[in-house]
Amino acid sequence: MSQLLEIEHLNIRFVNGGKETEVVSDLSLSLDRRETLGIVGESGSGKSVTSLSIMRLHPDETTRIKGAIRFEDKDLLALSEREMQDIRGNKIAMIFQEPMTSLNPIHTVGKQIAESVLLHSKATKKEAMARARQLLELCGIPDPDQRMKEYPHQLSGGMRQRVMIAIALACDPELLIADEPTTALDVTIQAQILELMKAIKKDRDMSIIMITHDLGIVYDFCDRVVVMYTGEVVESAPVKELFAAPLHPYTEGLIGALPRLGQPTERLSAIEGMVPDAGDMPQGCHFHPRCPYATERCRAEHPPLTTLPDGRQVRCFRGKGEQ
C-alpha cells in the first residue's frame, strides 16, 4: 500500500499570557492508503490536538506548530488558508465527538449536508439536495425525505452522528478522521455506527484515523494502533500484535482495564494516578510516577522512541528488553 499521510517531528505548543506549553512533542506517524489507524490514550494525551493539527483548525494566534504534515506529498503546514480550504472537507474530512455542538441548530439537516457539496463542487442547489438525501440513505437514516427537513435537536444522538458522517462523506474524501465518534452513544448505537463506518470504508477505499480512548474499539476496527501519553507516542504496532504482547507499561495498563466477558465478579484493574499537567511534566519518563516497573533510570532519563527489528516502536527502557 502506498503512503497517504506522513507526520514528521510534530511539535505543538499552546500560548497563553506569553507562556508556551508543549502539548505534542516530536510526534511522527504514517498512514497508508486504505488503512485504518487507531490513536489511543487517556484524555490529555494529545490525540485530538494532533487530529486538529492535520485539519489546520488550531487558531494561529494561540498555537505554535513545527514539523511537517504531508498529505499526498504536500506539506499541509506550508499551505495558505485558501489552499487548505480546498483540502479540508474535500480530501480530508472529520467527524467530531459531539454532533450537537458541531451541527448548526438553525439549519435543517438537508441544508447542512448540501452546503458541504456546494462548497466543494459545481453542483446546483437541486443536485446538492439530491446528494444530501442519497447520503442520508447511505448512512442508514430511515425516511430520509422527512429527515432532510428536520433540525438537529429533532434527531436522536445516533441519528445526529449519522448526519455528521453524511456531511463528512459529501465530497468522497480520501482520509476520514473520526474523533471519539461514539463516545456519547449507548453500546448498541455505538456498534451500529462502527459497522456503518466499516462498510463505508470498504465501499469507498478510504483511509481512516480513529481517535479514541477505548481499546475495545481499536481492536475491532483498526489495522494498526499508536498509543499516546502526554503528547508523545509511547508505542506503535499492528493491533493484533499489540494486544497479544504489549511492550509499554501504559499500554499494558490500558488493556488490563478492559472488561472481559465471563468474568463478571472480577474487579477491573486500573492505572493509578492521573495524566500529568502539560505544564508540569515529571523528570525522566513521563509515565514513571504511575508505572509499577519504574526504576531509578526511569526517574532520571527520558526514554527515546525506539524502533525494534520487527518494526514495532516503544518508548520504554524495559520495552527494549533492558531491566
Side-chain angles (χ1 to χ4, degrees):
M1 289 188 290
S2 60
Q3 202 169 82
L4 180 67
L5 178 77
E6 184 177 20
I7 299 177
E8 289 186 334
H9 307 296
L10 182 69
N11 290 272
I12 303 175
R13 291 174 175 263
F14 288 161
V15 182
N16 184 14
K19 179 183 177 182
E20 293 191 7
T21 303
E22 190 168 68
V23 291
V24 171
S25 176
D26 198 33
L27 183 143
S28 296
L29 59 84
S30 62
L31 176 73
D32 288 335
R33 293 182 186 276
R34 296 182 293 281
E35 182 182 32
T36 300
L37 175 70
I39 301 180
V40 70
E42 294 168 282
S43 297
S45 294
K47 310 182 303 296
S48 294
V49 173
T50 300
S51 67
L52 289 172
S53 71
I54 297 171
M55 297 291 286
R56 286 263 306 269
L57 292 176
H58 291 297
D60 292 339
E61 59 272 16
T62 58
T63 314
R64 303 287 181 268
I65 302 179
K66 293 183 179 179
I69 301 175
R70 294 190 181 87
F71 176 77
E72 294 184 326
D73 295 326
K74 290 182 181 177
D75 185 358
L76 302 182
L77 298 181
L79 299 182
S80 67
E81 178 57 26
R82 186 178 184 86
E83 290 172 319
M84 193 63 207
Q85 285 176 1
D86 290 335
I87 291 175
R88 191 188 296 128
N90 188 15
K91 291 191 174 277
I92 307 175
M94 190 165 183
I95 304 169
F96 296 94
Q97 58 181 290
E98 183 38 69
M100 198 59 195
T101 58
S102 302
L103 293 170
N104 192 322
I106 65 171
H107 292 302
T108 63
V109 164
K111 183 175 180 179
Q112 293 187 61
I113 302 172
E115 184 179 23
S116 185
V117 178
L118 290 168
L119 185 63
H120 294 290
S121 73
K122 296 180 180 179
T124 65
K125 186 175 180 180
K126 183 177 180 180
E127 290 169 340
M129 292 299 281
R131 172 71 170 153
R133 186 199 179 282
Q134 181 186 46
L135 286 163
L136 287 179
E137 198 166 24
L138 173 71
C139 291
I141 293 182
D143 196 3
D145 290 315
Q146 176 60 31
R147 301 302 181 191
M148 289 274 289
K149 305 170 188 174
E150 294 181 343
Y151 294 86
H153 73 273
Q154 295 176 281
L155 305 180
S156 67
M159 289 281 194
R160 287 194 292 266
Q161 197 57 281
R162 288 172 187 266
V163 170
M164 288 295 296
I165 294 172
I167 292 172
L169 296 176
C171 297
D172 289 320
E174 295 176 51
L175 170 58
L176 180 65
I177 302 172
D179 186 3
E180 302 274 12
T182 61
T183 297
L185 307 176
D186 66 50
V187 291
T188 303
I189 303 301
Q190 182 182 96
Q192 292 175 3
I193 294 296
L194 291 175
E195 286 303 314
L196 170 63
M197 291 178 66
K198 281 183 185 178
I200 290 170
K201 176 185 180 290
K202 184 178 180 181
D203 182 58
R204 301 194 174 204
D205 280 340
M206 286 190 309
S207 298
I208 295 179
I209 294 178
M210 172 66 76
I211 312 288
T212 183
H213 63 275
D214 189 337
L215 270 172
I217 289 176
V218 168
Y219 183 81
D220 184 55
F221 191 77
C222 300
D223 303 309
R224 196 161 50 88
V225 58
V226 168
V227 182
M228 290 187 67
Y229 186 75
T230 62
E232 298 180 324
V233 175
V234 295
E235 185 165 356
S236 174
V239 167
K240 290 183 180 179
E241 293 177 20
L242 181 122
F243 274 81
L247 299 178
H248 197 282
Y250 181 57
T251 311
E252 185 179 297
L254 292 176
I255 293 173
L258 288 171
R260 285 164 174 77
L261 293 174
Q263 298 174 315
T265 60
E266 183 177 333
R267 185 181 179 86
L268 294 178
S269 65
I271 304 173
E272 298 295 328
M274 302 286 290
V275 177
D277 185 81
D280 188 26
M281 287 296 166
Q283 184 180 348
C285 174
H286 293 173
F287 187 63
H288 84 74
R290 308 175 70 188
C291 181
Y293 310 109
T295 65
E296 286 305 315
R297 184 184 185 188
C298 302
R299 298 180 184 95
E301 297 179 38
H302 188 67
L305 183 66
T306 303
T307 301
L308 304 180
D310 63 358
R312 294 181 63 169
Q313 292 182 308
V314 63
R315 188 185 298 276
C316 180
F317 300 122
R318 184 174 176 269
K320 293 188 291 183
E322 300 178 26
Q323 302 297 325

